[in-house]
Amino acid sequence: MKRVRSTKASRFGQWAGRQWRRYVRRESEAILWLKSKGLLDCLANVLAWSVRISILLLTVPLVVLVTAIIAIVYVPSKCLGNSIGEPKRWTVGDQDDHKKSVFYDPINYNDPDDPRFDD
């Protein structure tokens, strides 16, 4: 049997799943403790949902902020990285290939004056 290598994404998913199960276990223990102290069932559930919603409202802006920071840092660096260094090579021939042709005339290509041609 082949051993499958786990990726960082799968390890992160497993970690997040363990944390979520841990949270649910603690939440159910807290709800049972509140019920044993005499709190109504519906109030305990409302308290549990309010904790879940507050956690969600705290994490969503954090995720948006981290994404914005990554975009602000990564995208310009990628753009600048492509523009610095060697000039781009043309994929189809050279830009000035038409000047090497036997039938070249600068008028036909809107090129600057060429010393080989007198008008």
Side-chain angles (χ1 to χ4, degrees):
M1 181 176 214
K2 262 187 177 176
R3 181 175 177 200
V4 178
R5 293 179 56 200
S6 62
T7 62
K8 290 180 183 179
S10 66
R11 287 192 300 267
F12 176 75
Q14 291 170 355
W15 173 83
R18 283 192 302 269
Q19 297 304 316
W20 177 252
R21 287 190 302 270
R22 180 178 166 211
Y23 168 76
V24 170
R25 207 170 31 250
R26 298 286 185 229
E27 182 184 76
S28 64
E29 291 172 0
I31 289 174
L32 290 175
W33 180 79
L34 287 172
K35 288 178 183 177
S36 71
K37 295 295 181 185
L39 192 65
L40 296 173
D41 291 346
C42 62
L43 289 178
N45 288 334
V46 166
L47 185 62
W49 274 102
S50 65
V51 169
R52 286 181 192 165
I53 290 173
S54 65
I55 289 173
L56 183 68
L57 290 176
L58 289 174
T59 56
V60 167
L62 181 67
V63 168
V64 169
L65 179 68
V66 168
T67 305
I69 290 172
I70 288 172
I72 288 171
V73 171
Y74 180 74
V75 172
S77 69
K78 203 65 169 155
C79 290
L80 289 175
N82 289 339
S83 65
I84 298 173
E86 293 184 16
K88 278 189 173 179
R89 301 291 293 164
W90 289 85
T91 55
V92 180
D94 193 17
Q95 186 178 10
D96 295 329
D97 270 349
H98 64 276
K99 290 183 180 180
K100 298 174 187 170
S101 171
V102 176
F103 303 106
Y104 170 71
D105 188 355
I107 297 173
N108 297 337
Y109 293 97
N110 291 330
D111 285 342
D113 291 338
D114 193 318
R116 297 179 291 171
F117 299 92
D118 293 328
D119 283 337

